[in-house]
Amino acid sequence: MSGEIALALSGGGVRAMAFHMGVLRFLAENNALERISDISTVSGGSLLTGLIFSKNGLQWPNSEEFLGKTHPQIKKSIVEH
């Protein structure tokens, strides 16, 4: 993969959050989170983006941080609540 990535994360509540987590995990597994240049969100996508920023000191995580810290924390939050 090369070039910048712009994300558009749709709404749909928790189901959308779960779907978007899968997409972000795929990107992270391919070391592509660092290439995200723009993010547009609504509803569930906004909730997920807020969680990602809150779990990472208000910064977008790199792929390693997402896989090692952010993804497990958010997955736990979604499953438990």
Side-chain angles (χ1 to χ4, degrees):
M1 289 189 205
S2 63
E4 291 186 345
I5 297 170
L7 290 179
L9 304 180
S10 66
V14 174
R15 287 174 291 204
M17 292 173 68
F19 176 82
H20 298 321
M21 284 288 286
V23 171
L24 292 170
R25 182 176 173 180
F26 172 82
L27 291 171
E29 288 171 345
N30 289 280
N31 295 311
L33 286 187
E34 296 78 4
R35 296 183 17 235
I36 294 173
S37 60
D38 299 287
I39 304 172
S40 177
T41 66
V42 295
S43 188
S46 298
L47 294 171
L48 178 59
T49 302
L51 276 172
I52 291 170
F53 277 104
S54 73
K55 301 290 185 190
N56 289 289
L58 302 181
Q59 295 182 354
W60 189 252
N62 64 34
S63 295
E64 183 178 334
E65 292 167 336
F66 183 81
L67 292 172
K69 175 185 167 192
T70 310
H71 187 275
Q73 288 178 346
I74 293 174
K75 182 179 177 182
K76 182 178 179 183
S77 294
I78 290 172
V79 170
E80 290 181 357
H81 299 119

